[in-house]
Amino acid sequence: MNPTNEQLVSLFERMTLIRLMEERLRADAGAGRLPGAVHLYIGQEAVAAGVCANLDETDWITSTHRGHGHFLAKGGDPKAMMAEIWGKRTGICKGMGGSMHVADLSKGILGANGIVGGGFAIATGAALSAKLSGNRRVAVAFFGDGAANQGVFMECLNVSTLWQLPLVFVCEYNHFCEFTPTVTVTAGEIADRARAFKIPCEVVDGNDVVAVWKAAAQAIEWARSGKGPAFIEAQTYRIQGHLESEDLFLAGGKYREKQEIEEWRKADPISRLAKLLVSMGVRTAVQLDDISTKIAGIVEDAVRFAEASEPADPELTFEVMFAGQKP
Amino acid sequence: MNPTNEQLVSLFERMTLIRLMEERLRADAGAGRLPGAVHLYIGQEAVAAGVCANLDETDWITSTHRGHGHFLAKGGDPKAMMAEIWGKRTGICKGMGGSMHVADLSKGILGANGIVGGGFAIATGAALSAKLSGNRRVAVAFFGDGAANQGVFMECLNVSTLWQLPLVFVCEYNHFCEFTPTVTVTAGEIADRARAFKIPCEVVDGNDVVAVWKAAAQAIEWARSGKGPAFIEAQTYRIQGHLESEDLFLAGGKYREKQEIEEWRKADPISRLAKLLVSMGVRTAVQLDDISTKIAGIVEDAVRFAEASEPADPELTFEVMFAGQKP
Amino acid sequence: MPRKRYIQAINEALFEEMERDPKVIVFGEDVELAIFGDTRGLLERFGHDRIRNTPICEATLAGMAVGAAVTGYHVVLHMMFSNFIYTGFDAIANQMAKLRLMTGGQIELPLTVIAGYGGGRSTAAQHSDTPHPLLMNLGGVNVLVPATPADAKGLLKQAIRTKNPSFFLEASGRGGDSGEVPDGDYTVPFGRAAIARAGADITMVAIGSMLKPALSAAEKLNLAGIDAEVVDPRTLVPLDEQTIVGSIEKTGRAILVDEARDRCSAASHIAAIIADKAFSSLKAPIKRVTVPNVSMPYAPNAESRVLPSEDRIVQIATDLVRSKQLA
Amino acid sequence: MPRKRYIQAINEALFEEMERDPKVIVFGEDVELAIFGDTRGLLERFGHDRIRNTPICEATLAGMAVGAAVTGYHVVLHMMFSNFIYTGFDAIANQMAKLRLMTGGQIELPLTVIAGYGGGRSTAAQHSDTPHPLLMNLGGVNVLVPATPADAKGLLKQAIRTKNPSFFLEASGRGGDSGEVPDGDYTVPFGRAAIARAGADITMVAIGSMLKPALSAAEKLNLAGIDAEVVDPRTLVPLDEQTIVGSIEKTGRAILVDEARDRCSAASHIAAIIADKAFSSLKAPIKRVTVPNVSMPYAPNAESRVLPSEDRIVQIATDLVRSKQLA
Ligand SMILES: Cc1ncc(C[n+]2csc(CCOP(=O)(O)OP(=O)(O)O)c2C)c(N)n1
Ligand SMILES: Cc1ncc(C[n+]2csc(CCOP(=O)(O)OP(=O)(O)O)c2C)c(N)n1
Ligand SMILES: [Mg+2]
Ligand SMILES: [Mg+2]
């Protein structure tokens, strides 16, 4: 099955939203306007968008420290996300979580996660919940190539296969774990670790949103129909540093060649999709530019909203620790 | 390569030693003479014996809560083990560790371990140590089928494959995790999890000591020669309960059929080896009986030694916590 | 009131809560046959959807509990021995304890973790820890330490009705202890200490397993003319500081009895609270009777040497009352 | 003495110890390019056999450190942020802290774990914990909390020469702080507190990152006519109780300043020691300035609200000294 033309356009919109939000975050982080660390998803947008386009609002996802893309792809509100990263009380987590913890339970976004591998088991629990209640929901665990070396990966493969839980593992092979090339810390193929459980496994070009969309549609359908978990590895590339201002951390150290980044820029998933849309005659280049301009406005609004919002309420810290209980 | 006749005889001796030691522990546990929990290895002797016969004294092993067999197979002293289990100061760990923690560093026995999966990473560390110092030692991690569901298993497969560490994984598939049949908590084949790393993997009849010996000889040679880790799954059966007096814990509950135990008794690894030795004309039945009688004497001595020894020194607790430092 | 065993009271609480609320589910290793007896019979009554054995993978179990709780179940996770909490500690400390704050209060985490703690049966270092201090320090989880069957039942029922994560710690060696248990449905509220014995001369705050030796010490002291008050905090998070401080205001002397290791124990923390909030009432130094800063040794005599004993309590209390009053 | 930055002092200690002893090896995630800067340059000097990046798998890393240490290396394991200690907690709490006792003292465990702790930079809940209380409670590991560059260097060198496991906790936000560092080879012994400022009216015990605000509070108090003594324990295990008690005997008043969460903090424990051993010298309640029992919020203003501040210290000290003397 292929995405329809209108689905392709909405993928383009979603990917562009992620990109423009993050370009803006990049600028603001560089200018020192944002508290905390910011890990950008630039270059990987096709994965979040392609997968989440196949999910219902009631489905669940768990995300990573690099979670803006997943949040927006799953329908999270740009304003609320932006305000969160700015540490404002209008933020989706009221300024308590920040970039690494954007979550929106009403959209099934169980949260970005600062712990590498932290999402696997949470997603497995959500899938168990879906299975037990028979509500036909699916849980998706997004994780990095680095996270695939955490043992919980195997544990959750085991549990979810054993109990046939509606869980889709989505590994984003972006070639790096911080400043460490993944290949230097990974033995064998990550997908083989999933294949060992005899579940459906697909390795796709993660910069080709159509390929991601198709693999996700199948995997999610498999899970939703009660057949158990499935696995997708999306091969992509982290264009930005591990975190913004990484040069400060690196102090002259180097872990990749500029050249390599430039090569991957040529495979930019948004340009590729744009080219496809134009070549298929679905939209003209001008129409796509209009879309981008409209989305730039959404981003602008989000920033304005964030800037204008009140800082977080420090006393809230004490109120939200527990439900109806003092800390 | 096959074990020589004399090697077969010494395997018989070692397996008989393990069996008789444990039969005695079983009796003493039943009579309430031993402190703590006792997990017996009866029926699995071929695995420890077959593997350890291929190791040098300077090689390392890590073991499990079911560790008497590994300890004795690797050359641990029966007296010192027995005294340990009796909680005496002459015990190999001076009565500080007990049944679940028998260790003899001078024999490369890094210890039994009360944590399921606790040995994987310790063995990996020992293998790293061997690799770095180029001393051609090998580390063997013994673990249960239950432990194969702990994520550290995958993590250590990854690290050891990546760094080509001299490490041999030995999974004892004895069909149970406490009172839970392994098959009810395990998806797919355990060996496939290792195969995902493209290392040598063998699944053998764990009640056939010759098969174990051959697989171990190959795996250990592979590791020793610098080619990296290898994996063996030995299929066997836990004849005794998870721990002695398990009926008290079960309170009438049941997780296996008596019949199944009886079937497996027919595949007893020691009787099988005895039959082989006799049929090959290596030893007569009478000669084997003599060996057993001699070993029964060793066990008797060990018990007498343990019984006659002073209880542990409680003050030692404070001395051994740290090297040269008060707790 | 009928007398019931501690473990039976826990079992009843599980039955009743599972009857009451179909969203209550129980999972863990070997919960079906119930190694401690506390989950016995649940499978027959509620079936595999609501109680099930899991693979051995504590890291995943703890995270899965979070995922299932966030998405609508009340999870009771049985972790067997407290030491296995460490194996699942990432999900406990980094997710369970923090997720509500990080999401700005979007979620509820109705989950209860059961684990047995403490020594006294020669289970050695890896099966004897008393880890409440670590859990108390996390901030985000309730910590319940019922000392009597009645409190065990009432606190567990309360935990299962609470929207926050709670650790229900049962004294491993005390399952057979019996006591009066009210008929019918009742709960014990969190954060209300019990005065287990009223007295005028000295206050003993005795935690969980230590209530029994503290009460018998109090009887002995009574014969010597010392009238001890024994306070049982029942829950450590939340902690009923008021009752504790009130008792010291009456007696002027405090002994804290805790089976945890001394450093940063609950005893330390309660001492700190008293030294802050009841300072002006104090007539004597605040004493702690705890496990020294060592791991639990195996041999019974060595274990007794480090566990708090009735004699030690009597000795210290006597010294404290007899010594010159200072204020 | 030359002035050096905290992180540079740590880096020098690593260089010098690796030069001194070829058995010293360093591993961890991203240690080659040194995200904190503390391991910078080691790769170029010592090569991949002695310093190497690992996969992301803390459970294995901690266990591997134990295995390599037992078999002859002095391992320096870099765990990056303290929160990741939880991910490796099983091997830390169940193996590292207990193995020596369990083997009856057969082994040495020369290993050092480095991790950054604490808040102040909006890294949010999963990157801001101060976990020394948990480590202190384990009993089997040293806990080092150097506050100055000189102590950082001297304590780390001492740790690397010690045969016991030590946690070297560096304040994450303090890498750039500078101070005088002695030339040449020196070590700082464990268990000796430093009097960072002598005073007569009140004792502040300030742990690690809290030394700086405590010292500046002391200067402010000085202007108000209050002469504060500031004690820096430098190591929490072992703890120099004598110096702390000695100081209280002199001043009669105590404030404990600790970036850990309050419950079962080091502050609690030191308060308990004072309330026991310096009781008769006390003129006022013992006060704790700690992080409240919440997770660290993200927004800078919320974070400042919970972190101990100079102002809070000044306020409490002033109240304490001004309030009616009680003894
Ligand atoms: C348990 C844990 N260990 C280490 C870290 C530090 N860390 C943050 S991101 C990262 C690399 C993650 O790599 P990957 O999973 O590939 O995700 P990516 O950053 O490429 O999106 C590491 C090691 C962490 N946050 N959590
Ligand atoms: C981390 C941890 N979880 C749970 C346990 C409790 N436990 C002890 S033995 C056991 C079953 C182990 O099964 P397996 O690995 O197959 O070893 P076997 O007993 O069959 O030799 C369990 C769950 C433990 N000791 N450690
Ligand atoms: Mg990556
Ligand atoms: Mg087994």
Side-chain angles (χ1 to χ4, degrees):
Chain A
M1 214 178 47
N2 273 306
T4 64
N5 289 350
E6 285 320 297
Q7 283 172 325
L8 284 174
V9 173
S10 94
L11 285 169
F12 178 81
E13 287 171 345
R14 203 51 68 106
M15 287 163 70
T16 303
L17 174 66
I18 299 173
R19 173 69 55 88
L20 296 185
M21 283 287 280
E22 289 216 318
E23 286 293 0
R24 183 56 190 257
L25 283 167
R26 185 180 150 214
D28 286 332
R33 286 197 203 97
L34 306 177
V38 174
H39 305 85
L40 297 182
Y41 193 65
I42 292 174
Q44 304 179 215
E45 296 88 350
V47 186
V51 171
C52 292
N54 287 285
L55 292 175
D56 296 334
E57 189 169 284
T58 49
D59 290 326
W60 291 300
I61 65 165
T62 60
S63 165
T64 70
H65 56 286
R66 200 175 301 289
H68 309 149
H70 309 127
F71 180 91
L72 294 169
K74 187 69 174 56
D77 175 40
K79 279 198 178 103
M81 181 179 106
M82 195 56 96
E84 183 61 30
I85 299 170
W86 281 71
K88 299 303 180 77
R89 69 181 64 186
T90 54
I92 186 68
C93 305
K94 304 194 165 73
M96 297 288 121
S99 165
M100 273 195 281
H101 305 292
V102 288
D104 184 348
L105 272 285
S106 73
K107 298 278 165 43
I109 304 163
L110 299 180
N113 209 306
I115 296 301
V116 171
F120 287 118
I122 296 175
T124 305
L128 172 63
S129 183
K131 168 101 179 184
L132 290 178
S133 54
N135 59 17
R136 288 182 59 82
R137 296 190 192 185
V138 169
V140 172
F142 287 100
F143 62 103
D145 39 0
N149 290 326
Q150 289 281 27
V152 281
F153 175 37
M154 185 201 82
E155 294 181 1
C156 291
L157 281 165
N158 184 48
V159 172
S160 60
T161 306
L162 185 70
W163 294 345
Q164 291 196 286
L165 303 182
L167 177 62
V168 178
F169 293 88
V170 178
C171 178
E172 302 191 51
Y173 196 102
N174 70 358
H175 290 78
F176 298 99
C177 315
E178 294 189 352
F179 312 144
T180 303
T182 305
V183 68
T184 64
V185 288
T186 307
E189 303 297 318
I190 291 168
D192 282 341
R193 303 180 190 179
R195 287 192 189 104
F197 290 86
K198 307 230 155 56
I199 60 172
C201 290
E202 279 243 48
V203 180
V204 298
D205 177 348
N207 284 22
D208 174 356
V209 73
V210 178
V212 173
W213 190 96
K214 285 159 76 168
Q218 260 190 314
I220 291 164
E221 175 48 28
W222 174 271
R224 203 182 298 287
S225 63
K227 300 207 183 85
F231 171 93
I232 294 169
E233 177 179 323
Q235 299 189 323
T236 179
Y237 192 81
R238 196 193 73 209
I239 295 290
Q240 288 298 108
H242 166 60
L243 75 179
E244 290 313 283
S245 344
E246 79 169 12
D247 289 347
L248 280 175
F249 291 86
L250 285 168
K254 206 173 81 171
Y255 63 94
R256 59 177 173 180
E257 301 296 333
K258 280 242 164 62
Q259 174 65 22
E260 185 181 275
I261 305 176
E262 293 317 314
E263 281 306 315
W264 276 93
R265 273 195 210 279
K266 294 182 197 152
D268 185 278
I270 300 180
S271 322
R272 274 170 76 176
L273 177 57
K275 218 172 278 170
L276 181 73
L277 286 166
V278 173
S279 74
M280 288 170 68
V282 177
R283 292 287 187 280
T284 64
V286 173
Q287 286 173 318
L288 293 181
D289 279 350
D290 285 348
I291 292 178
S292 300
T293 307
K294 194 191 71 197
I295 290 172
I298 295 175
V299 172
E300 208 41 61
D301 285 350
V303 173
R304 238 180 272 128
F305 174 78
E307 270 194 292
S309 294
E310 290 284 299
D313 172 7
E315 297 311 314
L316 196 77
T317 312
F318 299 86
E319 278 161 46
V320 298
M321 264 304 283
F322 284 119
Q325 189 184 320
K326 295 256 153 305
Chain B
M1 214 179 46
N2 273 306
T4 63
N5 289 348
E6 286 321 295
Q7 282 173 325
L8 285 174
V9 173
S10 92
L11 286 169
F12 178 81
E13 287 170 347
R14 203 51 68 106
M15 288 162 69
T16 303
L17 175 65
I18 299 173
R19 173 68 57 87
L20 297 184
M21 284 286 281
E22 289 216 317
E23 286 292 359
R24 183 56 190 257
L25 284 167
R26 186 181 150 213
D28 286 332
R33 285 196 203 98
L34 306 177
V38 174
H39 306 84
L40 297 182
Y41 193 64
I42 291 174
Q44 304 180 216
E45 296 87 349
V47 187
V51 171
C52 292
N54 286 286
L55 293 174
D56 296 333
E57 189 168 285
T58 49
D59 290 326
W60 290 300
I61 64 165
T62 59
S63 165
T64 70
H65 55 287
R66 200 174 301 289
H68 309 148
H70 309 127
F71 179 91
L72 294 169
K74 187 68 171 56
D77 176 37
K79 279 196 176 103
M81 181 180 106
M82 196 56 96
E84 183 61 30
I85 299 171
W86 281 71
K88 300 304 181 75
R89 72 181 62 186
T90 53
I92 186 67
C93 304
K94 303 195 167 73
M96 296 288 120
S99 165
M100 273 195 282
H101 305 292
V102 287
D104 184 348
L105 272 286
S106 73
K107 298 278 164 43
I109 305 163
L110 299 179
N113 209 308
I115 297 300
V116 171
F120 287 117
I122 297 175
T124 305
L128 173 63
S129 182
K131 169 100 175 184
L132 291 178
S133 54
N135 60 17
R136 289 182 58 81
R137 296 189 191 187
V138 169
V140 173
F142 287 100
F143 62 103
D145 39 2
N149 289 327
Q150 290 280 26
V152 280
F153 174 37
M154 186 202 81
E155 294 181 1
C156 290
L157 281 165
N158 183 48
V159 172
S160 60
T161 306
L162 185 70
W163 294 345
Q164 292 198 285
L165 303 182
L167 176 61
V168 178
F169 292 88
V170 178
C171 178
E172 303 191 50
Y173 197 102
N174 69 357
H175 290 78
F176 298 99
C177 315
E178 294 189 351
F179 311 144
T180 303
T182 304
V183 69
T184 64
V185 288
T186 307
E189 303 297 318
I190 291 169
D192 282 341
R193 303 180 190 179
R195 286 192 190 104
F197 291 86
K198 309 229 155 57
I199 60 172
C201 290
E202 280 241 48
V203 180
V204 298
D205 177 348
N207 284 21
D208 175 355
V209 72
V210 177
V212 174
W213 190 96
K214 282 158 76 170
Q218 259 188 317
I220 291 165
E221 174 50 28
W222 174 272
R224 200 182 300 287
S225 64
K227 299 204 183 88
F231 171 92
I232 296 169
E233 177 181 324
Q235 299 188 324
T236 178
Y237 192 82
R238 195 193 72 207
I239 295 290
Q240 288 300 108
H242 167 60
L243 76 178
E244 290 313 284
S245 347
E246 79 169 11
D247 290 347
L248 279 173
F249 291 86
L250 286 169
K254 205 174 82 171
Y255 61 94
R256 60 175 172 180
E257 301 296 331
K258 280 243 164 61
Q259 175 65 21
E260 185 181 275
I261 306 176
E262 293 317 314
E263 281 305 315
W264 276 94
R265 272 195 211 283
K266 294 184 197 151
D268 185 277
I270 300 180
S271 321
R272 274 169 77 177
L273 177 56
K275 219 173 276 170
L276 180 73
L277 287 167
V278 172
S279 74
M280 287 171 70
V282 177
R283 291 289 188 278
T284 64
V286 174
Q287 285 173 319
L288 293 181
D289 280 350
D290 285 348
I291 293 179
S292 301
T293 308
K294 195 190 70 196
I295 290 171
I298 295 175
V299 172
E300 208 41 60
D301 285 351
V303 174
R304 239 180 270 130
F305 173 78
E307 271 195 290
S309 294
E310 292 283 299
D313 172 8
E315 297 312 314
L316 196 78
T317 312
F318 299 86
E319 277 161 44
V320 299
M321 266 302 284
F322 284 120
Q325 190 185 320
K326 294 255 151 306
Chain C
M1 273 191 285
R3 289 186 72 80
K4 285 174 184 163
R5 286 178 307 119
Y6 188 79
I7 210 71
Q8 190 185 349
I10 296 171
N11 185 247
E12 280 186 14
L14 290 170
F15 258 98
E16 291 175 19
E17 292 307 299
M18 290 181 82
E19 289 288 2
R20 184 186 57 77
D21 181 356
K23 285 290 192 182
V24 177
I25 59 173
V26 177
F27 59 77
E29 296 155 19
D30 252 350
V31 289
E32 295 174 12
L33 276 176
I35 195 153
F36 291 163
D38 42 11
T39 54
R40 188 156 297 147
L42 296 175
L43 177 64
E44 291 71 15
R45 174 73 189 80
F46 300 105
H48 263 117
D49 265 9
R50 297 189 57 203
I51 166 156
R52 61 170 77 183
N53 285 351
T54 65
I56 306 169
C57 54
E58 289 80 7
T60 286
L61 302 185
M64 214 165 62
V66 171
V70 170
T71 55
Y73 281 85
H74 190 114
V75 177
V76 178
L77 167 61
H78 203 306
M79 296 200 81
M80 211 180 308
F81 287 95
S82 279
N83 286 66
F84 314 154
I85 285 176
Y86 306 147
T87 320
F89 209 63
D90 176 68
I92 292 166
N94 279 324
Q95 314 295 345
M96 195 185 292
K98 295 181 167 64
L99 202 54
R100 192 166 202 280
L101 177 117
M102 293 189 305
T103 62
Q106 290 181 56
I107 59 166
E108 288 177 346
L109 277 168
L111 71 88
T112 306
V113 180
I114 301 183
Y117 70 91
R121 294 160 310 129
S122 276
T123 50
Q126 289 174 335
H127 288 71
S128 302
D129 268 5
T130 297
H132 56 244
L134 284 70
L135 299 168
M136 290 168 72
N137 186 257
L138 295 182
V141 300
N142 289 312
V143 181
L144 323 177
V145 283
T148 67
D151 286 344
K153 182 169 178 182
L155 285 171
L156 182 51
K157 285 170 74 88
Q158 179 61 35
I160 297 176
R161 296 180 191 187
T162 301
K163 302 290 180 212
N164 298 307
S166 305
F167 278 75
F168 179 89
L169 302 175
E170 50 183 61
S172 303
R174 295 293 166 75
D177 288 9
S178 63
E180 296 191 336
V181 175
D183 277 323
D185 183 38
Y186 71 97
T187 60
V188 171
F190 292 175
R192 299 246 193 97
I195 308 280
R197 182 188 193 283
D201 298 332
I202 186 167
T203 299
M204 297 178 186
V205 181
I207 295 163
S209 56
M210 295 294 103
L211 181 63
K212 202 171 160 179
L215 283 173
S216 51
E219 291 316 310
K220 276 209 185 149
L221 288 165
N222 197 34
L223 298 177
I226 296 172
D227 185 22
E229 176 144 310
V230 180
V231 178
D232 170 5
R234 303 201 287 190
T235 67
L236 295 169
V237 178
L239 181 66
D240 182 354
E241 298 188 3
Q242 227 177 327
T243 299
I244 294 170
V245 167
S247 178
I248 304 319
E249 283 169 354
K250 187 168 70 167
T251 65
R253 294 180 187 86
I255 297 184
L256 299 332
V257 194
D258 187 356
E259 200 181 333
R261 266 184 291 277
D262 186 58
R263 238 183 254 117
C264 299
S265 56
S268 295
H269 187 62
I270 296 171
I273 288 168
I274 295 170
D276 178 9
K277 301 197 173 162
F279 179 73
S280 59
S281 312
L282 281 173
K283 299 178 198 157
I286 303 172
K287 291 290 174 186
R288 307 184 303 283
V289 183
T290 51
V291 168
N293 297 306
V294 295
S295 300
M296 199 62 80
Y298 166 73
N301 62 334
E303 199 179 19
S304 318
R305 165 72 181 80
V306 304
L307 285 171
S309 66
E310 187 189 305
D311 286 352
R312 193 137 61 99
I313 302 169
V314 169
Q315 180 66 53
I316 291 175
T318 309
D319 289 355
L320 214 56
V321 175
R322 297 265 156 86
S323 73
K324 209 167 61 263
Q325 297 196 359
L326 289 151
Chain D
M1 274 193 284
R3 288 187 72 81
K4 285 174 186 164
R5 287 178 307 118
Y6 188 78
I7 211 72
Q8 189 184 352
I10 295 171
N11 185 247
E12 280 186 14
L14 290 170
F15 259 98
E16 291 175 19
E17 292 306 299
M18 289 181 83
E19 289 287 1
R20 185 187 55 77
D21 181 356
K23 285 290 191 181
V24 177
I25 58 173
V26 176
F27 59 78
E29 296 154 20
D30 252 349
V31 290
E32 294 175 12
L33 276 177
I35 194 150
F36 290 164
D38 44 9
T39 54
R40 188 156 297 148
L42 296 175
L43 177 63
E44 292 71 17
R45 174 70 190 83
F46 300 105
H48 264 118
D49 265 8
R50 297 189 57 202
I51 166 156
R52 62 171 77 182
N53 284 352
T54 64
I56 306 169
C57 53
E58 289 81 6
T60 286
L61 301 185
M64 213 164 62
V66 171
V70 170
T71 55
Y73 281 84
H74 190 114
V75 176
V76 178
L77 167 61
H78 202 306
M79 295 198 80
M80 210 180 309
F81 286 96
S82 278
N83 287 65
F84 314 154
I85 285 176
Y86 306 147
T87 321
F89 208 64
D90 175 68
I92 292 167
N94 279 324
Q95 313 296 344
M96 196 185 290
K98 295 182 168 61
L99 203 54
R100 191 165 201 280
L101 177 116
M102 293 189 304
T103 61
Q106 289 181 58
I107 59 166
E108 289 178 345
L109 277 168
L111 70 89
T112 305
V113 180
I114 300 183
Y117 69 91
R121 294 161 310 130
S122 275
T123 50
Q126 290 175 334
H127 287 72
S128 303
D129 269 5
T130 297
H132 56 244
L134 284 72
L135 299 168
M136 291 168 72
N137 186 258
L138 295 182
V141 300
N142 289 313
V143 181
L144 322 177
V145 283
T148 67
D151 286 344
K153 180 167 179 184
L155 284 172
L156 182 51
K157 286 170 72 90
Q158 179 62 34
I160 298 177
R161 296 179 191 187
T162 300
K163 301 292 178 209
N164 299 307
S166 304
F167 278 75
F168 179 90
L169 301 175
E170 48 183 64
S172 304
R174 296 293 167 76
D177 288 8
S178 63
E180 295 192 337
V181 174
D183 276 322
D185 184 39
Y186 72 96
T187 60
V188 172
F190 292 176
R192 299 247 193 95
I195 308 280
R197 183 188 192 282
D201 297 333
I202 186 167
T203 299
M204 298 178 186
V205 182
I207 294 164
S209 56
M210 294 294 103
L211 181 63
K212 203 170 160 178
L215 282 172
S216 52
E219 290 317 311
K220 277 209 185 148
L221 288 165
N222 197 33
L223 299 177
I226 295 172
D227 185 22
E229 176 144 311
V230 180
V231 178
D232 170 6
R234 304 202 284 189
T235 66
L236 295 169
V237 177
L239 180 66
D240 182 353
E241 299 188 2
Q242 227 177 329
T243 297
I244 294 169
V245 167
S247 177
I248 305 318
E249 283 168 355
K250 188 168 70 169
T251 65
R253 294 178 188 87
I255 297 185
L256 297 333
V257 193
D258 188 357
E259 199 181 334
R261 266 183 291 275
D262 185 59
R263 238 183 254 117
C264 300
S265 57
S268 295
H269 188 63
I270 295 171
I273 289 168
I274 295 170
D276 177 10
K277 301 197 173 163
F279 179 73
S280 59
S281 312
L282 281 174
K283 299 179 200 158
I286 303 172
K287 291 290 174 187
R288 306 185 305 282
V289 183
T290 51
V291 169
N293 298 306
V294 296
S295 300
M296 199 64 80
Y298 166 72
N301 63 334
E303 197 179 20
S304 318
R305 165 71 179 80
V306 304
L307 285 172
S309 66
E310 187 188 306
D311 286 351
R312 194 136 60 100
I313 302 169
V314 169
Q315 181 65 52
I316 290 175
T318 309
D319 289 353
L320 215 55
V321 175
R322 297 265 158 85
S323 72
K324 207 165 66 259
Q325 295 197 0
L326 290 150

